Each structure stands twice: as C-alpha cells, then as structure tokens.
Amino acid sequence: MSTSESRFNLYHYAAPQAFYPVAGKLAPIFAAIAVVLAVAGLWIGFFKAPTDAVQGEVYRIIFIHVPAAWMSMFVFLVMAFWSAVGLAMNTRLSALMAQALAPTGAMFCFVALWTGALWGRPTWGAYWVWDARLTSQLLLLFLYLGYMALVAAIDDPRRRDKAGAILCLVGAVNVPIIYFSVKWWNTLHQGASVSLTKAPSMASIMLSGMLVMALAAWAYTISVALYRVRVLILERERHADWVRGELARLGEAS
Amino acid sequence: MIWDSWGAFWEMGGSGPFVWGSYGVTTVLIVAELIMLRTRRVSSTRKLNRLMRAGHGRKLPEVQGS
C-alpha cells in the first residue's frame, strides 16, 4: 500500500486497517443526521400530517411501518451485494460489512411485521393473515435470523464468510418476491402507494413525513453498521500490529 | 394544530394502543440494539486486550485471508 498515493483510491479503503478510522469518523455524523431526521419526521408525522379521511389516526403507523419495511428489504440486498463482492474479489471487509448490517436489517424486518400487525387489526380485523406479502416478509425475518445463526456458528472466519455470503445471495431472491407480491398475487395487503413509475397515491405532507423517516432509517442503519463493523474488524484482525496498538489505546481509555 | 389537547394526542382517536404499541416497541428495539452494540464493543475490546496481554494474541488458530 503506497502512502504517497494522493488521488482517492477505493481499493485503499477495502483494507480493514484503512476503513477502520474512516468508519469511526463517519458513524457519529450519520448518527447525528439520523436523530435530526427522526425528530423532523416525527414532527411532520404527528403534528403536521392531518387525520386520514378513511383510516382516522391509526394510519400514523405508516411513518415507521413503510420505512422499516423498505429498510429490511434494502439491507438484505446490500448484504447480498457485499457477499457477491466478497466472493468475487476475496476482500475481507465485504463479508464483515454484510455481518455488520444483519442485526439492524433483522430489527427493521421485525418492526415492519410488528407495526403491520398492529395496523392490520383495526383496519383488516386481523393481526395476521397468510397473505403473500406478509408471508414473504416473515420469510425474510427467518433469512436474517438464519444468516446470523449460521455466521455465529462457524468458527473458521473464511468458511463463515463464504457460507454467510451464499445464504445471502440465495436469500436475496426473496426480496423481489416481497416487493412484487402485491402485484403478482391477490393480497389483502394494499399495493404500493409510492413507486417510481406513477405519482404517489397519498397526500404530499404524509408522503414527506414518510420519506423523512425513511432517510432517518437509512442514516441510522449506516451509523450502527459502521460502529458494528469496527468491532468486527478488531475481532478479525486481532493479530495485526495496528489492532494491538488500537486495543492498547482503547484499554487505557476504558 | 391537529390536537385539541395532549389527552387527544395520546388517545389518537381511539387508536392509541395500536399507534403507541407500534412506536413504543420500535423505540425499545432501537434502544436495545444500541445497548447490545455497546456491550459487545466493551466486552470484545476487554477480551482481546486480555488475550494480547497474556501473549496469546499470535497463537490463536485463525487463518487470515489476504
């Protein structure tokens, strides 16, 4: 690795040693962004967005339900992306990125299911139905939990990375199934209110609250994943001299 | 202003349990994730430090990729 390299080199940051301090700098910035956006989004959601003409107040669940559901699908795709990069280029950091994202994706997946149940009861009359959208989302939760269990169960880091990556790539097939389930099957779950191809079918103030909350969820995920990947890097690279230096520094600080 | 009073706000037009049940559990999960992450960082750093001081750091049977 050349230190005299002056122009930005992406491959440089693929090295855990180079990425570790960068992640440390970026994580608190994204955490601050997440807090600001969440406060703004909740303010819009509870104090600016009007009562829904059909659903009354219960629709306000949308401000966490939709961002959480989007995030749970998107995070799995990002994990699949890093898995593919890791398998193809044999970069250590890629698998660690996927592993750092998994718990947050699982959390959002559970939140989407939980808030959906609490929204379904007053509007559909049932907490749960075996509808294609709900069932495929539940499968996504099991994929997250399965991935985390698999990764935790394998001691050898290379085998762990490879097995996790394969599960991610295979499981990613489920994500388009979730997304298009409302089109492909006759589901109780409503179709997309927001899509790239047509104008959104909801009031703009409600939409803006939802989008701000979605951005907050993004910033939260990035921040937490960066904090987590730093721990994973230390654990994985513990034999490296720079990690020993960093550990000594952290040991004195605590 | 949408809400006549704080009482009306918490009541959410009769949907209080559903709305606050959603937001409450989400908040609890986020806080739990942050606590677990912190706990892991602290315990992991401590454990690695102990291994390093004991001089076992280089002997652990792990293969590093390149």
Side-chain angles (χ1 to χ4, degrees):
Chain A
M1 181 169 36
S2 125
T3 46
S4 59
E5 185 103 43
S6 57
R7 81 191 166 82
F8 180 76
N9 184 349
L10 201 61
Y11 288 103
H12 171 71
Y13 291 102
Q17 180 180 4
F19 189 70
Y20 181 87
V22 176
K25 282 204 187 76
L26 291 177
I29 297 172
F30 280 102
I33 294 172
V35 170
V36 171
L37 288 173
V39 169
L42 290 172
W43 173 256
I44 296 170
F46 281 104
F47 297 103
K48 292 289 165 202
T51 305
D52 186 72
V54 181
Q55 293 200 13
E57 309 297 353
V58 78
Y59 92 90
R60 291 182 200 278
I61 293 174
I62 202 172
F63 300 113
I64 38 177
H65 177 73
V66 173
W70 280 347
M71 217 60 225
S72 68
M73 291 188 279
F74 186 69
V75 166
F76 206 91
L77 290 181
V78 174
M79 285 167 59
F81 167 78
W82 285 121
S83 299
V85 171
L87 286 177
M89 325 242 297
N90 203 20
T91 42
R92 277 169 296 166
L93 188 57
S94 311
L96 295 183
M97 289 297 279
Q99 287 161 28
L101 282 162
T104 309
M107 190 272 286
F108 277 121
C109 192
F110 181 84
V111 165
L113 289 164
W114 175 263
T115 55
L118 287 181
W119 198 358
R121 184 71 182 84
T123 47
W124 301 338
Y127 287 109
W128 182 262
V129 286
W130 291 101
D131 158 289
R133 170 55 72 81
L134 278 68
T135 308
S136 52
Q137 182 76 18
L138 182 65
L139 179 61
L140 182 67
L141 180 63
F142 292 150
L143 284 169
Y144 272 119
L145 298 179
Y147 173 84
M148 286 158 67
L150 180 72
V151 160
I154 302 176
D155 284 332
D156 178 63
R158 283 198 191 187
R159 284 190 52 223
R160 179 199 308 158
D161 291 354
K162 196 163 273 184
I166 290 166
L167 194 155
C168 255
L169 286 171
V170 175
V173 173
N174 185 44
V175 173
I177 294 177
I178 301 174
Y179 189 78
F180 292 110
S181 60
V182 289
K183 275 190 185 166
W184 293 345
W185 292 283
N186 186 12
T187 53
L188 184 55
H189 194 285
Q190 66 176 73
S193 303
V194 182
S195 76
L196 296 173
T197 47
K198 59 177 172 49
S201 60
M202 61 193 289
S204 64
I205 187 75
M206 295 177 186
L207 178 67
S208 57
M210 201 171 85
L211 293 179
V212 171
M213 288 298 277
L215 290 174
W218 270 61
Y220 171 83
T221 304
I222 293 171
S223 174
V224 172
L226 289 175
Y227 277 120
R228 194 177 285 117
V229 85
R230 273 165 66 87
V231 180
L232 295 178
I233 288 173
L234 289 184
E235 288 174 356
R236 181 67 60 92
E237 306 285 307
R238 61 173 172 256
H239 308 287
D241 284 335
W242 75 269
V243 172
R244 299 164 77 85
E246 173 69 7
L247 284 171
R249 196 183 67 78
L250 289 171
E252 282 158 21
S254 64
Chain B
M1 202 62 187
I2 300 158
W3 315 102
D4 298 330
S5 64
W6 278 107
F9 175 74
W10 294 116
E11 205 165 290
M12 279 287 144
S15 305
F18 300 109
V19 173
W20 300 123
S22 294
Y23 281 84
V25 167
T26 306
T27 309
V28 167
L29 285 174
I30 287 174
V31 170
E33 185 183 19
L34 295 176
I35 291 173
M36 281 161 70
L37 180 55
R38 198 193 137 73
T39 310
R40 172 154 190 200
R41 180 170 58 85
V42 171
S43 67
S44 171
T45 311
R46 232 177 246 156
K47 190 179 139 207
L48 291 175
N49 243 322
R50 237 189 353 256
L51 285 172
M52 188 173 70
R53 278 202 214 102
H56 294 313
R58 287 181 193 280
K59 288 185 198 161
L60 286 170
E62 271 204 9
V63 189
Q64 292 296 326
S66 55

